Amino acid sequence: MDIIEEIQRLKKEKNAIILAHYYQEPAIQEIADYVGDSLGLSQKAAETDADIIVFAGVHFMAETAKILNPTKKVLLPDLNAGCSLAESCPPEAFEKFIKAHPDHTVITYVNCSAEVKALTDVVCTSSNALKIVESIPEETPIIFAPDRNLGKYIMQKTGREMLLWDGSCVVHEAFSIEKLIQLHKKYPDYKIIAHPESEEHILKTATYIGSTAGMINYVKEHANEKFIVATEAGILHKMQQEVPNTELVPAPAKEDNTCACSECAYMKVNTIQKLYDCLLNETPHIEVSEDIRKRALIPIERMLELS
Ligand code: 13P
Ligand code: SF4
């Protein structure tokens, strides 16, 4: 059996769409109908007329697609595809935190659970966080959760104080500043580009800071340059396809691992075999209680309107 042909056949037969994040393994990106960042993926999920959405990404992304599409089946190849950042913000603790600051507008990064979204005023992604924060009147205090690094970065960009939740992403905090400086000494003509989930000392070295889609666009627009890329290494597949002649090096991780880069173990639990199995069996699928879904939908729709 040719698994790729079988996935294509099942997709047609079941009127399914495959949405994949840039951090997915190359084989999954290749078979996907759309590959994008968190914002692009939620926009695609909001507009699709497919009956089944196969979400090759992590749980909070598939959950967002389900919140937008309650009558569609949303499949996730492996339910263990979680997110350290989403886990760093348990809904009960977050509810207490926002109750202690009732005058604050609550902005949450999309990397959080449906329960946390249900406690939120506006959702954002790394593509639109700046725009969303700037859309809130100057005099209104803001709670920003769960990513402290993105929050700090937005505070510096806007000059605006925000109350930050102390969460972070293990993948973006795995970069080693010492190794990055050494690497830059070896490749002094390479520009460093970084995702805003990275720590402040990494961001300070970067020529460009943006979402995964933003980083890809930046590299496309500067195709004559060379880059050290500080985000999950899966992005290099799409980047190299877009700019085949550009030299790209992944930013080094603190721990030595097989790729000497930073990989998201959650993203990588999805495989092409699991994608095939879930499309064939229509499981595992995402469920969200109707009460939470309705409440979480409001801040997601506000984000989509503002984007
Ligand atoms: P974006 O694709 O929105 O930049 O987010 C990166 C990320 O960490 C997704 O989990
Ligand atoms: Fe979550 Fe970080 Fe993995 Fe993105 S890269 S899914 S933020 S753990």
Side-chain angles (χ1 to χ4, degrees), residues 23 58 60 82-85 111 169-172 197 264 266-267:
Y23 298 163
V58 289
F60 76 81
C83 168
S84 63
L85 188 47
N111 300 40
C169 157
V170 284
V171 179
H172 288 89
E197 285 174 25
C264 176
Y266 301 102
M267 284 278 180

Side-chain angles (χ1 to χ4, degrees), residues 12 26 110 181 260 267 286:
K12 238 189 220 156
V110 70
I181 291 166
M267 284 278 180
I286 303 288

